[in-house]
Amino acid sequence: FRNDFGMALWFRAESFDSPGGDDPTLLSIRAETGGGIEVSLLPERSSSGVATVAELAVTVYDSNSSHMQNVVLKGCVLLPRVWYHVAVRHTRSRLKGVFSLATRQHVSVMIDGKVMLTEPLHFPKITEAVGSNKILPM
């Protein structure tokens, strides 16, 4: 996954309330050092405190750091008890040097075959666990 990361899945949530109060997570790939990527649901609660709808979020974490960056599909409301097909593609430009004036890293999110979001999002910096400074390709 040096220049691209992609995932696709079908999901259906009975409700967006999860035990322990954590946001429901569709995919989480994290190294022991904390770096990685997550695709999760951000429930929106009604005045009664019940999560009736949710938005999708893609979050990137850097290893050994509190640095994180995320993008949220604002305005794309997901409902409970409905099947959705979600595809996420995280890419960065393969061009180096003179041909690349800036690093082009972005994420695209499709829901039910429609592109809902394409925004800049940096690739996570992943390092090995204790005793190594080697950065792993991701």
Side-chain angles (χ1 to χ4, degrees), residues 48-118:
S48 64
V50 177
T52 55
V53 297
E55 295 176 321
L56 192 81
V58 179
T59 307
V60 170
Y61 300 91
D62 289 338
S63 288
N64 301 318
S65 169
S66 61
H67 184 262
M68 56 152 300
Q69 182 182 0
N70 74 343
V71 293
V72 178
L73 274 76
K74 293 287 184 188
C76 180
V77 177
L78 303 175
L79 302 170
R81 296 179 298 282
V82 174
W83 280 99
Y84 293 100
H85 182 263
V86 176
V88 176
R89 183 170 183 215
H90 196 189
T91 62
R92 65 176 153 194
S93 174
R94 292 183 175 103
L95 299 175
K96 302 284 185 193
V98 175
F99 299 108
S100 181
L101 299 175
T103 304
R104 291 183 218 117
Q105 302 176 15
H106 67 274
V107 65
S108 297
V109 179
M110 294 177 30
I111 297 181
D112 294 337
K114 297 177 187 164
V115 177
M116 303 303 288
L117 172 87
T118 298

